[in-house]
Coordinates of all heavy atoms in Angstrom, one line a residue:
S3 N -17.5 7.4 -12.7 CA -18.1 7.0 -11.4 C -17.8 5.5 -11.2 O -17.5 4.8 -12.1 CB -19.6 7.2 -11.4 OG -20.2 6.4 -12.4
I4 N -17.7 5.1 -10.0 CA -17.4 3.8 -9.6 C -18.8 3.0 -9.3 O -19.6 3.6 -8.6 CB -16.6 3.6 -8.3 CG1 -15.2 4.3 -8.6 CG2 -16.4 2.2 -7.9 CD1 -14.4 4.3 -7.4
I5 N -19.0 1.9 -9.9 CA -20.2 1.1 -9.6 C -19.7 -0.1 -8.9 O -18.8 -0.9 -9.3 CB -20.9 0.7 -10.9 CG1 -21.2 1.9 -11.8 CG2 -22.1 -0.2 -10.6 CD1 -22.3 2.8 -11.1
E6 N -20.4 -0.4 -7.7 CA -20.1 -1.6 -6.9 C -21.3 -2.4 -7.0 O -22.4 -1.9 -6.7 CB -19.7 -1.3 -5.5 CG -18.3 -0.6 -5.4 CD -17.8 -0.4 -4.1 OE1 -18.4 -0.9 -3.1 OE2 -16.8 0.3 -3.9
N7 N -21.2 -3.7 -7.2 CA -22.4 -4.5 -7.2 C -22.1 -5.7 -6.2 O -21.3 -6.5 -6.4 CB -22.6 -5.1 -8.6 CG -23.8 -6.1 -8.7 OD1 -24.6 -6.0 -7.8 ND2 -23.8 -6.9 -9.6
N8 N -22.9 -5.6 -5.1 CA -22.7 -6.6 -4.1 C -23.6 -7.8 -4.3 O -24.8 -7.6 -4.7 CB -23.0 -6.0 -2.7 CG -21.9 -5.0 -2.3 OD1 -20.7 -5.3 -2.3 ND2 -22.4 -3.8 -2.0
S9 N -23.1 -9.0 -4.1 CA -24.0 -10.2 -4.2 C -23.5 -11.2 -3.1 O -22.5 -10.9 -2.4 CB -23.9 -10.8 -5.6 OG -22.6 -11.4 -5.8
T10 N -24.1 -12.3 -3.0 CA -23.7 -13.3 -2.1 C -22.4 -14.0 -2.5 O -21.8 -14.6 -1.7 CB -24.8 -14.4 -1.9 OG1 -25.0 -15.0 -3.3 CG2 -26.1 -13.9 -1.4
E11 N -22.0 -13.8 -3.7 CA -20.8 -14.4 -4.3 C -19.6 -13.4 -4.1 O -18.5 -13.8 -4.2 CB -21.0 -14.8 -5.8 CG -22.0 -15.8 -6.0 CD -21.7 -17.1 -5.3 OE1 -20.6 -17.6 -5.3 OE2 -22.7 -17.6 -4.6
G12 N -19.8 -12.2 -4.0 CA -18.7 -11.1 -3.9 C -19.2 -9.8 -4.5 O -20.4 -9.6 -4.5
Y13 N -18.3 -9.1 -5.0 CA -18.7 -7.8 -5.6 C -17.7 -7.4 -6.6 O -16.6 -8.0 -6.7 CB -18.8 -6.8 -4.5 CG -17.6 -6.3 -3.8 CD1 -16.9 -5.2 -4.3 CD2 -17.1 -7.0 -2.8 CE1 -15.7 -4.8 -3.6 CE2 -16.0 -6.6 -2.1 CZ -15.2 -5.5 -2.6 OH -14.1 -5.1 -1.9
Y14 N -18.0 -6.4 -7.4 CA -17.0 -5.9 -8.4 C -17.0 -4.4 -8.4 O -18.0 -3.7 -7.9 CB -17.4 -6.4 -9.8 CG -18.6 -5.9 -10.4 CD1 -18.6 -4.7 -11.1 CD2 -19.8 -6.6 -10.3 CE1 -19.8 -4.2 -11.7 CE2 -21.0 -6.1 -11.0 CZ -20.9 -5.0 -11.6 OH -22.1 -4.5 -12.2
E15 N -15.9 -3.8 -8.9 CA -15.8 -2.4 -9.0 C -15.4 -2.1 -10.5 O -14.6 -2.7 -11.0 CB -14.7 -1.8 -8.1 CG -14.9 -2.0 -6.7 CD -13.7 -1.6 -5.8 OE1 -12.6 -1.5 -6.4 OE2 -13.9 -1.3 -4.6
T16 N -16.1 -1.1 -11.0 CA -15.7 -0.7 -12.4 C -16.1 0.8 -12.5 O -16.8 1.3 -11.7 CB -16.4 -1.5 -13.5 OG1 -15.8 -1.3 -14.7 CG2 -17.9 -1.3 -13.5
Y17 N -15.5 1.4 -13.5 CA -15.8 2.8 -13.8 C -16.6 2.9 -15.0 O -16.4 2.2 -15.9 CB -14.4 3.5 -14.0 CG -13.5 3.6 -12.8 CD1 -12.8 2.5 -12.5 CD2 -13.5 4.6 -11.9 CE1 -11.9 2.5 -11.4 CE2 -12.8 4.6 -10.8 CZ -11.9 3.6 -10.5 OH -11.2 3.5 -9.4
Y18 N -17.5 3.9 -15.1 CA -18.3 4.1 -16.2 C -18.1 5.6 -16.7 O -18.0 6.5 -15.9 CB -19.8 3.9 -15.9 CG -20.2 2.4 -15.8 CD1 -20.0 1.7 -14.7 CD2 -20.7 1.9 -16.9 CE1 -20.3 0.3 -14.7 CE2 -21.1 0.5 -17.0 CZ -20.8 -0.2 -15.8 OH -21.1 -1.6 -15.8
E19 N -18.1 5.7 -18.0 CA -18.1 7.0 -18.7 C -19.1 6.9 -19.8 O -19.0 6.1 -20.7 CB -16.7 7.2 -19.2 CG -16.4 8.6 -19.7 CD -15.0 8.8 -20.1 OE1 -14.1 8.5 -19.3 OE2 -14.7 9.2 -21.3
N20 N -20.0 7.9 -19.8 CA -21.0 8.0 -20.8 C -21.8 6.6 -21.0 O -22.1 6.1 -22.1 CB -20.5 8.3 -22.2 CG -19.9 9.7 -22.2 OD1 -20.4 10.6 -21.6 ND2 -18.7 9.8 -22.8
G21 N -22.0 5.9 -19.8 CA -22.8 4.7 -19.8 C -22.1 3.4 -20.2 O -22.6 2.4 -20.2
L22 N -20.8 3.6 -20.5 CA -20.0 2.4 -20.8 C -18.9 2.2 -19.8 O -18.3 3.2 -19.3 CB -19.3 2.6 -22.2 CG -20.3 2.7 -23.4 CD1 -19.5 3.1 -24.6 CD2 -21.1 1.5 -23.5
A23 N -18.6 0.9 -19.5 CA -17.4 0.6 -18.6 C -16.2 1.1 -19.3 O -16.0 0.9 -20.5 CB -17.4 -0.9 -18.4
N24 N -15.4 1.9 -18.5 CA -14.2 2.5 -19.1 C -13.2 2.6 -18.0 O -13.3 3.4 -17.0 CB -14.5 3.8 -19.6 CG -13.5 4.3 -20.7 OD1 -13.2 3.6 -21.6 ND2 -13.0 5.5 -20.5
G25 N -12.1 1.8 -18.0 CA -11.1 1.9 -17.0 C -10.9 0.6 -16.3 O -11.3 -0.5 -16.8
P26 N -10.2 0.6 -15.2 CA -10.0 -0.7 -14.4 C -11.3 -1.4 -14.0 O -12.2 -0.7 -13.6 CB -9.2 -0.3 -13.2 CG -8.9 1.2 -13.4 CD -9.7 1.7 -14.5
Y27 N -11.2 -2.7 -14.0 CA -12.3 -3.5 -13.4 C -11.7 -4.5 -12.5 O -10.6 -5.2 -12.7 CB -12.9 -4.4 -14.6 CG -13.9 -5.4 -14.2 CD1 -15.2 -5.0 -14.1 CD2 -13.5 -6.7 -13.9 CE1 -16.1 -6.0 -13.7 CE2 -14.4 -7.7 -13.6 CZ -15.7 -7.3 -13.4 OH -16.6 -8.3 -13.0
K28 N -12.3 -4.7 -11.3 CA -11.9 -5.7 -10.3 C -13.2 -6.4 -9.8 O -14.1 -5.7 -9.4 CB -11.1 -5.1 -9.2 CG -9.7 -4.6 -9.6 CD -8.9 -4.2 -8.5 CE -7.5 -3.8 -8.9 NZ -6.7 -3.4 -7.8
Q29 N -13.1 -7.7 -9.7 CA -14.2 -8.5 -9.1 C -13.5 -9.2 -8.0 O -12.4 -9.7 -8.1 CB -14.7 -9.5 -10.2 CG -15.8 -10.3 -9.6 CD -16.4 -11.2 -10.8 OE1 -16.0 -11.2 -11.9 NE2 -17.3 -12.1 -10.4
Y30 N -14.3 -9.3 -6.9 CA -13.8 -9.9 -5.6 C -14.6 -11.1 -5.1 O -15.8 -11.1 -5.3 CB -13.8 -8.8 -4.5 CG -12.9 -7.7 -4.8 CD1 -13.4 -6.5 -5.5 CD2 -11.6 -7.7 -4.4 CE1 -12.6 -5.4 -5.8 CE2 -10.8 -6.5 -4.6 CZ -11.3 -5.4 -5.3 OH -10.5 -4.3 -5.6
F31 N -14.0 -12.1 -4.6 CA -14.7 -13.1 -3.8 C -15.2 -12.5 -2.5 O -14.8 -11.5 -2.1 CB -13.7 -14.2 -3.5 CG -13.3 -15.1 -4.7 CD1 -11.9 -14.9 -5.2 CD2 -14.1 -15.9 -5.3 CE1 -11.5 -15.7 -6.2 CE2 -13.7 -16.7 -6.5 CZ -12.3 -16.5 -6.9
R32 N -16.0 -13.2 -1.9 CA -16.6 -12.8 -0.6 C -15.6 -12.6 0.5 O -15.7 -11.8 1.4 CB -17.7 -13.8 -0.1 CG -19.0 -13.8 -0.8 CD -20.0 -14.5 -0.2 NE -20.3 -13.9 1.1 CZ -21.2 -14.4 2.0 NH1 -22.0 -15.4 1.7 NH2 -21.5 -13.8 3.1
N33 N -14.4 -13.4 0.4 CA -13.4 -13.2 1.3 C -12.5 -12.0 1.1 O -11.5 -11.8 1.9 CB -12.5 -14.5 1.4 CG -11.7 -14.7 0.2 OD1 -11.7 -13.9 -0.7 ND2 -11.0 -15.9 0.1
G34 N -12.8 -11.2 0.1 CA -12.0 -10.0 -0.2 C -10.9 -10.2 -1.2 O -10.3 -9.2 -1.6
Q35 N -10.6 -11.5 -1.5 CA -9.5 -11.8 -2.5 C -10.1 -11.4 -3.9 O -11.2 -11.5 -4.2 CB -9.2 -13.2 -2.5 CG -8.5 -13.7 -1.2 CD -7.0 -13.5 -1.3 OE1 -6.6 -12.4 -1.1 NE2 -6.2 -14.5 -1.6
I36 N -9.0 -10.9 -4.7 CA -9.4 -10.5 -6.1 C -9.7 -11.8 -6.9 O -9.0 -12.8 -6.8 CB -8.3 -9.8 -6.8 CG1 -8.2 -8.4 -6.1 CG2 -8.6 -9.6 -8.3 CD1 -7.0 -7.6 -6.6
E37 N -10.9 -11.8 -7.6 CA -11.2 -13.0 -8.5 C -10.8 -12.6 -9.9 O -10.3 -13.5 -10.6 CB -12.7 -13.2 -8.4 CG -13.1 -14.4 -9.3 CD -14.6 -14.6 -9.2 OE1 -15.3 -13.9 -8.5 OE2 -15.1 -15.5 -10.0
T38 N -11.1 -11.4 -10.4 CA -10.8 -11.0 -11.7 C -10.3 -9.6 -11.8 O -10.8 -8.8 -11.1 CB -12.0 -11.2 -12.6 OG1 -12.6 -12.5 -12.5 CG2 -11.8 -10.9 -14.1
E39 N -9.3 -9.4 -12.6 CA -8.9 -8.0 -12.9 C -8.6 -7.8 -14.3 O -8.1 -8.6 -15.0 CB -7.8 -7.5 -11.9 CG -6.5 -8.4 -12.0 CD -5.5 -8.0 -11.0 OE1 -5.6 -6.8 -10.4 OE2 -4.6 -8.8 -10.7
G40 N -9.0 -6.6 -14.8 CA -8.8 -6.3 -16.2 C -9.1 -4.8 -16.5 O -9.1 -4.0 -15.6
H41 N -9.3 -4.5 -17.7 CA -9.5 -3.1 -18.1 C -10.5 -3.1 -19.2 O -10.6 -3.9 -20.1 CB -8.2 -2.6 -18.6 CG -8.2 -1.1 -18.7 ND1 -7.8 -0.3 -17.7 CD2 -8.5 -0.3 -19.8 CE1 -7.9 1.0 -18.1 NE2 -8.3 1.0 -19.4
Y42 N -11.4 -2.1 -19.1 CA -12.4 -1.8 -20.2 C -12.0 -0.5 -20.9 O -11.5 0.5 -20.3 CB -13.8 -1.6 -19.6 CG -14.5 -2.9 -19.3 CD1 -14.6 -3.4 -18.1 CD2 -15.2 -3.7 -20.3 CE1 -15.3 -4.6 -17.8 CE2 -15.8 -4.8 -20.1 CZ -15.8 -5.3 -18.8 OH -16.5 -6.4 -18.5
K43 N -12.3 -0.5 -22.2 CA -12.2 0.8 -23.0 C -13.5 0.9 -23.8 O -13.7 0.0 -24.7 CB -11.0 0.7 -23.9 CG -10.7 2.0 -24.6 CD -9.4 2.0 -25.4 CE -9.2 3.3 -26.1 NZ -7.9 3.3 -26.8
K44 N -14.2 1.9 -23.5 CA -15.5 2.2 -24.2 C -16.4 0.9 -24.2 O -17.0 0.6 -25.2 CB -15.3 2.7 -25.6 CG -14.5 4.0 -25.6 CD -14.3 4.5 -27.0 CE -13.6 5.8 -27.0 NZ -13.3 6.3 -28.4
G45 N -16.5 0.2 -23.0 CA -17.4 -0.9 -22.8 C -16.8 -2.2 -23.3 O -17.5 -3.3 -23.2
L46 N -15.6 -2.3 -23.9 CA -15.0 -3.5 -24.4 C -13.8 -3.9 -23.6 O -13.0 -3.0 -23.2 CB -14.7 -3.3 -25.9 CG -15.8 -2.9 -26.8 CD1 -15.2 -2.6 -28.2 CD2 -16.9 -3.9 -26.9
K47 N -13.6 -5.2 -23.3 CA -12.5 -5.7 -22.7 C -11.3 -5.4 -23.5 O -11.3 -5.6 -24.7 CB -12.6 -7.2 -22.4 CG -13.6 -7.6 -21.4 CD -13.7 -9.1 -21.2 CE -14.8 -9.4 -20.2 NZ -14.9 -10.8 -20.1
T48 N -10.2 -4.9 -22.9 CA -9.0 -4.7 -23.6 C -7.8 -4.9 -22.6 O -7.9 -4.9 -21.5 CB -9.0 -3.2 -24.1 OG1 -7.8 -3.0 -24.9 CG2 -8.9 -2.2 -23.0
G49 N -6.7 -5.3 -23.2 CA -5.4 -5.5 -22.4 C -5.5 -6.8 -21.7 O -6.3 -7.7 -21.9
L50 N -4.6 -6.9 -20.7 CA -4.4 -8.1 -19.9 C -5.6 -8.3 -18.9 O -6.0 -7.4 -18.2 CB -3.1 -8.0 -19.1 CG -2.8 -9.2 -18.2 CD1 -2.6 -10.5 -19.0 CD2 -1.5 -8.8 -17.3
W51 N -6.1 -9.5 -18.9 CA -7.2 -9.9 -17.9 C -6.6 -11.1 -17.2 O -6.1 -12.1 -17.8 CB -8.5 -10.2 -18.6 CG -9.3 -9.0 -19.0 CD1 -9.0 -8.1 -19.9 CD2 -10.4 -8.6 -18.3 NE1 -9.9 -7.0 -19.9 CE2 -10.8 -7.4 -18.9 CE3 -11.3 -9.1 -17.3 CZ2 -11.9 -6.6 -18.6 CZ3 -12.4 -8.4 -17.0 CH2 -12.7 -7.2 -17.6
I52 N -6.8 -11.1 -15.9 CA -6.4 -12.2 -15.0 C -7.5 -12.7 -14.1 O -8.2 -11.8 -13.6 CB -5.1 -11.7 -14.1 CG1 -4.1 -11.2 -15.0 CG2 -4.7 -12.8 -13.3 CD1 -2.9 -10.5 -14.3
K53 N -7.6 -13.9 -14.0 CA -8.6 -14.6 -13.1 C -7.9 -15.5 -12.1 O -6.9 -16.1 -12.5 CB -9.6 -15.4 -13.9 CG -10.8 -15.8 -13.1 CD -11.9 -16.4 -14.0 CE -13.1 -16.7 -13.3 NZ -13.9 -15.6 -13.0
Y54 N -8.3 -15.4 -10.8 CA -7.7 -16.1 -9.8 C -8.7 -17.1 -9.1 O -9.9 -17.0 -9.2 CB -7.3 -15.2 -8.6 CG -6.3 -14.2 -9.1 CD1 -6.7 -12.9 -9.6 CD2 -4.9 -14.4 -9.1 CE1 -5.8 -11.9 -10.0 CE2 -4.0 -13.4 -9.6 CZ -4.5 -12.2 -10.0 OH -3.6 -11.2 -10.4
Y55 N -8.1 -18.2 -8.5 CA -8.8 -19.1 -7.6 C -9.1 -18.3 -6.3 O -8.4 -17.4 -5.9 CB -8.1 -20.4 -7.4 CG -8.0 -21.3 -8.5 CD1 -6.9 -21.4 -9.3 CD2 -9.1 -22.0 -8.9 CE1 -6.8 -22.3 -10.4 CE2 -9.0 -22.9 -10.0 CZ -7.9 -23.0 -10.8 OH -7.8 -23.8 -11.8
V56 N -10.0 -18.8 -5.5 CA -10.3 -18.3 -4.2 C -9.1 -18.2 -3.2 O -9.0 -17.4 -2.4 CB -11.6 -18.9 -3.5 CG1 -11.3 -20.3 -3.1 CG2 -12.2 -18.0 -2.5
N57 N -8.2 -19.2 -3.5 CA -7.0 -19.2 -2.6 C -5.9 -18.2 -3.1 O -4.9 -18.1 -2.5 CB -6.4 -20.6 -2.6 CG -5.8 -21.1 -4.0 OD1 -5.9 -20.3 -4.9 ND2 -5.4 -22.3 -4.0
G58 N -6.2 -17.4 -4.1 CA -5.3 -16.4 -4.6 C -4.4 -16.9 -5.7 O -3.6 -16.1 -6.3
Q59 N -4.4 -18.2 -6.0 CA -3.6 -18.7 -7.1 C -4.1 -18.3 -8.5 O -5.3 -18.3 -8.7 CB -3.6 -20.2 -6.9 CG -2.5 -21.0 -7.7 CD -1.1 -20.8 -7.2 OE1 -0.9 -20.6 -6.0 NE2 -0.2 -20.7 -8.1
L60 N -3.2 -18.1 -9.4 CA -3.6 -17.7 -10.7 C -4.4 -18.8 -11.4 O -4.0 -20.0 -11.3 CB -2.3 -17.5 -11.5 CG -2.4 -16.9 -12.9 CD1 -3.1 -15.6 -12.9 CD2 -1.0 -16.8 -13.5
K61 N -5.5 -18.4 -12.1 CA -6.3 -19.4 -12.7 C -6.2 -19.4 -14.3 O -6.2 -20.3 -14.9 CB -7.8 -19.3 -12.3 CG -8.8 -20.2 -12.9 CD -10.2 -20.0 -12.3 CE -11.1 -21.1 -12.8 NZ -12.5 -20.9 -12.2
R62 N -6.3 -18.1 -14.7 CA -6.3 -17.9 -16.2 C -5.7 -16.5 -16.5 O -6.0 -15.5 -15.8 CB -7.7 -18.0 -16.7 CG -7.8 -17.9 -18.2 CD -9.1 -18.2 -18.8 NE -10.3 -17.6 -18.1 CZ -11.2 -18.2 -17.4 NH1 -11.2 -19.5 -17.4 NH2 -12.2 -17.5 -16.8
E63 N -5.0 -16.4 -17.6 CA -4.5 -15.0 -18.0 C -4.4 -15.0 -19.5 O -4.1 -15.9 -20.2 CB -3.1 -14.7 -17.3 CG -2.0 -15.7 -17.8 CD -0.7 -15.4 -17.1 OE1 -0.5 -14.3 -16.6 OE2 0.2 -16.3 -17.1
G64 N -4.7 -13.7 -20.0 CA -4.6 -13.5 -21.4 C -5.0 -12.1 -21.8 O -5.5 -11.4 -20.9
H65 N -4.9 -11.7 -23.0 CA -5.2 -10.4 -23.5 C -6.5 -10.4 -24.3 O -6.8 -11.3 -25.0 CB -4.0 -9.8 -24.3 CG -2.9 -9.4 -23.5 ND1 -1.9 -10.4 -23.0 CD2 -2.5 -8.3 -23.0 CE1 -1.0 -9.8 -22.3 NE2 -1.3 -8.5 -22.3
Y66 N -7.1 -9.2 -24.2 CA -8.3 -8.9 -25.1 C -8.0 -7.7 -25.9 O -7.2 -6.8 -25.6 CB -9.5 -8.6 -24.2 CG -10.2 -9.7 -23.6 CD1 -10.0 -10.2 -22.4 CD2 -11.3 -10.4 -24.4 CE1 -10.7 -11.2 -21.8 CE2 -11.9 -11.4 -23.8 CZ -11.7 -11.9 -22.5 OH -12.4 -12.9 -22.0
E67 N -8.6 -7.7 -27.1 CA -8.6 -6.5 -27.9 C -10.0 -6.3 -28.5 O -10.6 -7.2 -29.1 CB -7.6 -6.6 -29.1 CG -7.5 -5.3 -29.9 CD -6.5 -5.5 -31.0 OE1 -5.3 -5.8 -30.7 OE2 -6.8 -5.2 -32.1
K68 N -10.7 -5.3 -28.0 CA -12.1 -5.0 -28.5 C -13.0 -6.2 -28.2 O -13.8 -6.6 -29.0 CB -12.2 -4.6 -29.9 CG -11.4 -3.3 -30.2 CD -11.6 -2.9 -31.7 CE -10.8 -1.6 -31.9 NZ -10.8 -1.2 -33.3
D69 N -12.9 -6.8 -27.0 CA -13.7 -7.8 -26.4 C -13.4 -9.2 -27.0 O -14.1 -10.2 -26.7 CB -15.2 -7.5 -26.7 CG -16.0 -7.4 -25.4 OD1 -15.4 -7.3 -24.3 OD2 -17.2 -7.5 -25.4
F70 N -12.4 -9.3 -27.8 CA -12.0 -10.6 -28.4 C -10.6 -11.0 -27.8 O -9.7 -10.3 -27.6 CB -11.8 -10.5 -29.9 CG -13.1 -10.3 -30.7 CD1 -13.5 -9.1 -31.1 CD2 -13.9 -11.4 -31.0 CE1 -14.7 -8.9 -31.7 CE2 -15.1 -11.3 -31.6 CZ -15.5 -10.0 -32.0
K71 N -10.5 -12.3 -27.5 CA -9.2 -12.9 -27.0 C -8.2 -12.8 -28.1 O -8.6 -13.1 -29.3 CB -9.5 -14.4 -26.6 CG -10.3 -14.5 -25.3 CD -10.4 -16.0 -25.0 CE -11.2 -16.2 -23.6 NZ -11.4 -17.6 -23.3
I72 N -7.0 -12.4 -27.7 CA -6.0 -12.4 -28.7 C -4.7 -12.9 -28.1 O -4.5 -12.9 -26.8 CB -5.6 -11.0 -29.2 CG1 -5.2 -10.1 -28.1 CG2 -6.8 -10.3 -30.0 CD1 -4.6 -8.7 -28.5
G73 N -3.8 -13.5 -28.9 CA -2.5 -13.9 -28.4 C -2.6 -15.2 -27.5 O -3.6 -15.9 -27.6
L74 N -1.6 -15.3 -26.7 CA -1.5 -16.5 -25.9 C -2.3 -16.4 -24.6 O -2.2 -15.4 -23.9 CB 0.0 -16.7 -25.5 CG 0.3 -18.0 -24.7 CD1 0.1 -19.2 -25.4 CD2 1.8 -17.9 -24.2
W75 N -3.1 -17.4 -24.4 CA -3.9 -17.5 -23.1 C -3.4 -18.7 -22.4 O -3.2 -19.8 -23.0 CB -5.4 -17.6 -23.4 CG -6.0 -16.3 -23.7 CD1 -5.9 -15.5 -24.8 CD2 -6.9 -15.6 -22.8 NE1 -6.6 -14.3 -24.6 CE2 -7.2 -14.4 -23.4 CE3 -7.4 -15.9 -21.5 CZ2 -8.0 -13.5 -22.8 CZ3 -8.3 -15.0 -21.0 CH2 -8.6 -13.8 -21.6
K76 N -3.3 -18.6 -21.0 CA -2.9 -19.7 -20.2 C -3.9 -20.0 -19.1 O -4.4 -19.1 -18.5 CB -1.5 -19.4 -19.5 CG -0.4 -19.3 -20.5 CD 1.0 -19.0 -19.9 CE 2.1 -18.9 -20.9 NZ 3.3 -18.6 -20.2
T77 N -4.1 -21.2 -18.8 CA -5.0 -21.7 -17.8 C -4.1 -22.6 -16.8 O -3.3 -23.4 -17.2 CB -6.1 -22.5 -18.3 OG1 -6.9 -21.7 -19.2 CG2 -7.1 -22.9 -17.2
Y78 N -4.4 -22.4 -15.4 CA -3.7 -23.1 -14.4 C -4.5 -23.9 -13.5 O -5.7 -23.6 -13.3 CB -2.8 -22.1 -13.6 CG -1.9 -21.2 -14.4 CD1 -2.4 -20.0 -15.0 CD2 -0.6 -21.6 -14.7 CE1 -1.5 -19.2 -15.8 CE2 0.2 -20.8 -15.4 CZ -0.2 -19.6 -16.0 OH 0.6 -18.9 -16.7
Y79 N -4.0 -25.0 -12.9 CA -4.6 -25.8 -11.9 C -4.5 -25.0 -10.6 O -3.8 -24.0 -10.5 CB -3.9 -27.1 -11.8 CG -4.1 -28.1 -12.9 CD1 -3.0 -28.3 -13.8 CD2 -5.3 -28.7 -13.1 CE1 -3.2 -29.2 -14.8 CE2 -5.5 -29.6 -14.3 CZ -4.3 -29.8 -15.1 OH -4.5 -30.6 -16.1
H80 N -5.3 -25.4 -9.6 CA -5.3 -24.9 -8.2 C -3.9 -24.7 -7.7 O -3.6 -23.8 -6.9 CB -6.2 -25.7 -7.3 CG -7.7 -25.4 -7.5 ND1 -8.5 -26.1 -8.3 CD2 -8.5 -24.5 -6.8 CE1 -9.7 -25.7 -8.2 NE2 -9.7 -24.7 -7.3
D81 N -3.1 -25.7 -8.0 CA -1.7 -25.7 -7.4 C -0.7 -24.8 -8.1 O 0.5 -24.7 -7.8 CB -1.2 -27.1 -7.3 CG -1.0 -27.8 -8.6 OD1 -1.1 -27.1 -9.7 OD2 -0.5 -28.9 -8.6
G82 N -1.1 -24.1 -9.2 CA -0.3 -23.2 -9.9 C 0.4 -23.9 -11.2 O 1.0 -23.1 -11.9
Q83 N 0.2 -25.1 -11.3 CA 0.8 -25.8 -12.5 C 0.0 -25.4 -13.7 O -1.2 -25.4 -13.8 CB 0.8 -27.3 -12.3 CG 1.7 -27.8 -11.1 CD 3.2 -27.5 -11.4 OE1 3.7 -27.7 -12.5 NE2 3.8 -26.9 -10.4
L84 N 0.7 -25.3 -14.9 CA 0.1 -25.0 -16.1 C -0.8 -26.1 -16.5 O -0.4 -27.2 -16.6 CB 1.1 -24.7 -17.2 CG 0.6 -24.3 -18.6 CD1 -0.1 -22.9 -18.5 CD2 1.8 -24.3 -19.6
Q85 N -2.1 -25.7 -16.8 CA -3.1 -26.8 -17.3 C -3.1 -26.8 -18.8 O -3.1 -27.8 -19.4 CB -4.4 -26.4 -16.8 CG -5.5 -27.4 -17.2 CD -6.8 -27.0 -16.6 OE1 -7.1 -25.9 -16.1 NE2 -7.8 -27.9 -16.7
S86 N -3.2 -25.6 -19.4 CA -3.3 -25.5 -20.9 C -2.9 -24.1 -21.4 O -2.8 -23.2 -20.6 CB -4.7 -25.8 -21.4 OG -5.6 -24.9 -20.9
E87 N -2.6 -24.0 -22.6 CA -2.3 -22.8 -23.3 C -2.7 -22.9 -24.7 O -2.6 -23.9 -25.3 CB -0.9 -22.3 -23.1 CG 0.2 -23.2 -23.7 CD 1.6 -22.7 -23.4 OE1 1.8 -21.9 -22.6 OE2 2.5 -23.3 -24.0
G88 N -3.1 -21.7 -25.2 CA -3.6 -21.7 -26.6 C -3.5 -20.3 -27.2 O -3.5 -19.3 -26.4
N89 N -3.4 -20.2 -28.5 CA -3.3 -18.9 -29.1 C -4.7 -18.5 -29.8 O -5.3 -19.5 -30.4 CB -2.2 -18.9 -30.2 CG -0.9 -18.7 -29.6 OD1 -0.6 -17.6 -29.1 ND2 0.0 -19.6 -29.7
Y90 N -5.0 -17.3 -29.8 CA -6.2 -16.8 -30.4 C -5.9 -15.8 -31.4 O -4.9 -15.1 -31.4 CB -7.2 -16.2 -29.3 CG -7.7 -17.2 -28.4 CD1 -7.1 -17.7 -27.3 CD2 -9.0 -17.7 -28.6 CE1 -7.6 -18.6 -26.4 CE2 -9.6 -18.6 -27.8 CZ -8.9 -19.1 -26.7 OH -9.5 -20.0 -25.9

């Protein structure tokens, strides 16, 4: 099932199976732009997760495995320039 949670800041969509988030996850700003997108598996963050600024510019990207950050993570400034990167 899809759960949508509306708030003054925006809303999100996610799928639940047996009470746990399972599948694609998307969070939106009030203007309809995607704020965060990723994937859950049995309630845990997994795979590539991406976060954006309200202007649509990439803010942060990296991978999760069982809710833990893994590998290379990158953070960007509002203008798209690389701010930092680090390995987990």
Side-chain angles (χ1 to χ4, degrees):
S3 63
I4 299 175
I5 302 296
E6 293 187 9
N7 181 18
N8 292 305
S9 73
T10 57
E11 297 300 314
Y13 67 97
Y14 69 86
E15 298 175 338
T16 192
Y17 297 82
Y18 280 83
E19 188 175 309
N20 298 321
L22 298 173
N24 201 54
Y27 172 89
K28 288 188 178 179
Q29 182 177 356
Y30 299 88
F31 290 108
R32 285 190 66 177
N33 68 3
Q35 292 276 77
I36 293 177
E37 180 179 359
T38 306
E39 56 186 341
H41 193 90
Y42 280 100
K43 185 174 182 180
K44 297 181 180 178
L46 303 174
K47 291 178 181 177
T48 188
L50 178 64
W51 279 70
I52 302 172
K53 191 167 185 78
Y54 301 93
Y55 288 103
V56 71
N57 66 3
Q59 194 70 35
L60 186 61
K61 183 175 185 177
R62 182 172 49 241
E63 63 182 341
H65 286 82
Y66 281 96
E67 186 175 306
K68 296 182 180 177
D69 242 14
F70 290 96
K71 291 180 178 179
I72 61 167
L74 183 64
W75 276 74
K76 295 181 180 180
T77 303
Y78 301 89
Y79 291 107
H80 279 89
D81 64 3
Q83 295 296 313
L84 183 65
Q85 180 180 14
S86 65
E87 59 183 11
N89 279 297
Y90 289 84

